[in-house]
Amino acid sequence: MNKVLSSRWTKAFLFLLCLAPLLLLGWRGYHNQLGANPIENITHKTGDWTLRFLLITLAITPIRRLTGKLWLIRYRRMFGLFAFFYATLHFLTYIWLDKFFDVHEMLHDIAKRRFITVGFAGFVLLIPLALTSTKGWILRLGGKRWQALHRLIYFSAIAGVIHYWWLVKADIHKPLEYGAILAVLLGYRIAGWAGPKLSANKAKSLREPRFEVRQG
Ligand code: HEM
């Protein structure tokens, strides 16, 4: 009972922590502290937090496995949904405050500006993940298919990093940092997949004769 209660409190605390960037933006907006270009500021902050939450979500599995803290899985869905939440705010800032719902101009941007194209792809990839994030959908799709679908998050995060890389004009430090973290997180998975396959192949090759045995 105590465990259930403490896990609920932790979840509530983490939920508020995840909301903090939005609350801070709201606070700054209310006090006119969003700088000379508030729309740009909001776009940058929501974009940054989308990418951060994508990376936090992707970090859960490696941290769980490396530290043995298996209970971390309880929070992965929440982090993933926050990535989608900030991506939606980011997209809304763009389409509402930047483009004033001018769908024609938006479509033109998506087609012509490559950083918008790839950012949009990253956002669209997150939609099926958010829609199928419930237990009901896991049962409906079956664990394996659900897991395969949710691997789309890798491509969304890759699109997010490329999007950032392509939009910066000079200083590529920040996209490089995000890219390096993503490379480690994806590298961990690739090693996990390739490792057993490589050792299975190795075991097979050890069982096979190392030289040709000539008959007669
Ligand atoms: C997974 C989806 C996405 C991620 C992870 C993402 C992430 C980011 C990041 C990290 C930044 C830069 C923040 C900074 O400078 O501190 C950014 C900027 C921006 N993003 Fe996104 N974004 C995504 C989707 C989108 C979409 C769908 C659009 C619009 C269709 C969009 C439009 C923009 C714009 C206009 C900027 C500002 C560009 C500038 O300063 O010149 N992004 N985004």
Side-chain angles (χ1 to χ4, degrees), residues 9-197:
W9 278 110
T10 315
K11 214 169 196 174
F13 172 73
L14 281 176
F15 184 86
L16 285 178
L17 208 62
C18 295
L19 263 188
L22 176 66
L23 298 178
L24 202 66
L25 260 182
W27 174 267
R28 290 204 175 131
Y30 184 72
H31 289 94
N32 282 326
Q33 289 172 358
L34 284 176
N37 192 339
I39 296 174
E40 196 179 286
N41 197 335
I42 297 171
T43 311
H44 286 189
K45 290 282 184 308
T46 49
D48 265 335
W49 281 103
T50 304
L51 205 41
R52 284 175 193 155
F53 275 110
L54 282 174
L55 296 179
I56 292 170
T57 311
L58 284 173
I60 295 290
T61 297
I63 295 176
R64 271 181 87 216
R65 293 211 181 125
L66 295 172
T67 63
K69 298 198 187 314
L70 301 181
W71 47 265
L72 279 172
I73 195 72
R74 276 182 230 146
Y75 308 111
R76 190 175 62 177
R77 187 167 82 111
M78 185 169 73
F79 292 137
L81 284 174
F82 265 106
F84 180 66
F85 175 64
Y86 281 102
T88 307
L89 291 180
H90 185 60
F91 178 63
L92 276 178
T93 313
Y94 164 81
I95 181 81
W96 183 8
L97 302 179
D98 201 6
K99 299 287 167 209
F100 303 106
F101 291 111
D102 186 338
V103 176
H104 187 258
E105 207 187 315
M106 187 192 82
L107 291 177
H108 178 266
D109 253 9
I110 292 174
K112 294 282 177 214
R113 298 171 77 188
R114 62 178 191 162
F115 88 89
I116 296 281
T117 317
V118 75
F120 189 72
F123 176 59
V124 169
L125 286 174
L126 287 177
I127 296 173
L129 306 194
L131 292 178
T132 59
S133 69
T134 57
K135 273 189 195 140
W137 270 103
I138 301 177
L139 292 174
R140 227 169 288 165
L141 289 174
K144 277 210 160 153
R145 258 191 293 170
W146 185 88
Q147 246 182 347
L149 175 70
H150 279 249
R151 291 206 175 108
L152 285 179
I153 190 175
Y154 305 151
F155 300 99
S156 177
I158 294 171
V161 169
I162 297 175
H163 166 70
Y164 195 4
W165 196 300
W166 280 350
L167 74 87
V168 291
K169 271 122 202 145
D171 187 4
I172 58 161
H173 262 91
K174 268 180 76 182
L176 252 183
E177 275 168 28
Y178 284 125
I181 296 170
L182 181 62
V184 170
L185 295 174
L186 295 185
Y188 175 87
R189 279 154 173 101
I190 292 169
W193 291 325
K197 274 199 186 140

Side-chain angles (χ1 to χ4, degrees), residues 193-205:
W193 291 325
K197 274 199 186 140
L198 286 179
S199 44
N201 284 345
K202 198 173 163 193
K204 198 173 150 206
S205 76

